[in-house]
Amino acid sequence: MSLEITSVNKSFCGWTKHYTHRSTALNCDMRFAIYLPPQTANGQKVPVLYWLSGLTCTDENFMQKAGAQRIAAELGVAIVAPDTSPRGVGVADDDGYDLGQGAGFYVNATQAPWNRHYQMYDYVMNELPQLIEATFPVSDKRSVFGHSMGGHGALVLALRNPDTFQSASAFSPIGNPVDCSWGQKAFAAYLGKDKGAWADYDASLLMRKAKGAVPVLVDQGEADDFLEEQLKPETLEASAKESGYPLKLNRREGYDHSYYFIASFVEDHLRFHAKHLAT
């Protein structure tokens, strides 16, 4: 699988790089960013932390705004950030910001016209990690984190695949998408009317019946404009309490939904993951 590099920037003695490649899962060209810490310069293999971004974002937002490279360099952890959806001419789209290009929701769409390209779950679970591990000096140890829609995606991936990921975390995740307008709109379009299929992509429902577990950290700003209508962290807490799931949820007074919030606590998340990636 050929990769085309589009940008390279040295950062804290490591490298932030952006690539495009042809995706078989998504049937289009895709973009991703990777931060390779300085430990990889001599070929040392490092674990990988996958970042999943939120609505309207691309592979660039986290790498440019979160300020994660300094800590990743210290800890010896690579970070991979894919785009949030398939894109391009011929890829289905919608006029709304919360559906279509930029809003893949990390599901495998089953409904036309979305099912031709919108297989984001398979892409981030299988195709992209296989490409990363075959191309770069990284190990097969993975953890995953994300923000908002990407926080939903990160939790779902870890909950459904506890043997694949060492840990998971999220900033302001959509915790119960079957019960909020963002999730209902996306799931109805991508997955159809059968709400039984929706449950496979709802972190609160998955956590309630989880049989395997990975450590999960969630940070939620209490001044988040989407807190009550879209994010519903209380559903995650209730599910974890019911099943005994190892969830730690921090409520952060005064913080909103922005990258100012993410940048304030990204170090905590990186150190959390590094601890579990080292085991």
Side-chain angles (χ1 to χ4, degrees):
M1 187 182 296
S2 61
L3 286 175
E4 179 181 346
I5 192 164
T6 59
S7 68
V8 181
N9 299 96
K10 192 169 186 178
S11 180
F12 296 98
C13 297
W15 297 93
T16 298
K17 302 182 179 184
H18 292 259
Y19 290 88
T20 62
H21 73 102
R22 186 70 182 179
S23 167
T24 301
L26 303 178
N27 194 28
C28 66
D29 291 339
M30 279 295 286
R31 298 163 31 172
F32 70 87
I34 184 169
Y35 177 69
L36 295 168
Q39 292 83 350
T40 61
N42 61 4
Q44 176 184 333
K45 289 190 174 184
V46 299
V48 185
L49 183 52
Y50 287 86
W51 170 264
L52 305 183
S53 291
L55 288 166
T56 74
C57 291
T58 70
D59 55 307
E60 296 182 347
N61 296 73
F62 180 82
M63 291 299 187
Q64 294 179 356
K65 296 180 178 180
Q69 287 92 334
R70 178 178 64 85
I71 303 302
E74 174 195 330
L75 298 172
V77 174
I79 301 175
V80 173
D83 201 350
T84 52
S85 78
R87 298 181 193 265
V89 177
V91 175
D93 201 7
D94 185 82
D95 290 337
Y97 74 94
D98 51 358
L99 185 67
Q101 295 187 34
F105 268 84
Y106 305 102
V107 304
N108 284 340
T110 59
Q111 306 299 302
W114 310 102
N115 55 349
R116 184 165 182 265
H117 295 285
Y118 285 76
Q119 305 295 313
M120 285 297 293
Y121 181 89
D122 280 352
Y123 178 70
V124 297
M125 179 64 206
N126 299 310
E127 185 179 18
L128 182 60
Q130 290 169 9
L131 174 61
I132 297 299
E133 291 168 18
T135 306
F136 301 100
V138 300
S139 72
D140 60 0
K141 282 199 168 184
R142 306 182 210 167
S143 289
V144 62
F145 67 154
H147 172 230
S148 194
M149 177 185 73
H152 137 76
L155 295 180
V156 167
L157 280 171
L159 286 160
R160 288 177 57 171
N161 302 279
D163 295 332
T164 299
F165 296 96
Q166 304 298 115
S167 52
S169 72
F171 294 89
S172 313
I174 303 172
N176 190 202
V178 304
D179 193 34
C180 75
S181 61
W182 280 344
Q184 289 167 349
K185 179 179 179 178
F187 287 4
Y190 297 144
L191 304 174
K193 296 180 180 179
D194 179 11
K195 294 187 177 181
W198 299 12
D200 289 338
Y201 298 102
D202 186 293
S204 291
L205 300 180
L206 291 168
M207 191 174 286
R208 190 174 301 160
K209 63 180 183 180
K211 295 181 179 178
V214 299
V216 170
L217 171 66
V218 171
D219 272 292
Q220 175 62 62
E222 293 193 322
D224 192 317
D225 289 341
F226 306 110
L227 179 59
E228 294 184 5
E229 293 187 7
Q230 305 288 1
L231 306 180
K232 301 181 183 292
E234 65 278 1
T235 63
L236 284 174
E237 289 179 310
S239 294
K241 183 177 181 180
E242 181 175 332
S243 65
Y245 203 90
L247 167 70
K248 180 179 181 181
L249 194 152
N250 300 312
R251 295 177 180 270
R252 304 295 190 178
E253 182 181 357
Y255 285 92
D256 58 19
H257 201 71
S258 72
Y259 265 83
Y260 293 108
F261 171 47
I262 295 169
S264 298
F265 298 102
V266 72
E267 179 173 347
D268 293 350
H269 284 241
L270 289 173
R271 294 194 184 281
F272 165 79
H273 290 295
K275 178 179 69 175
H276 294 290
L277 286 165
T279 59

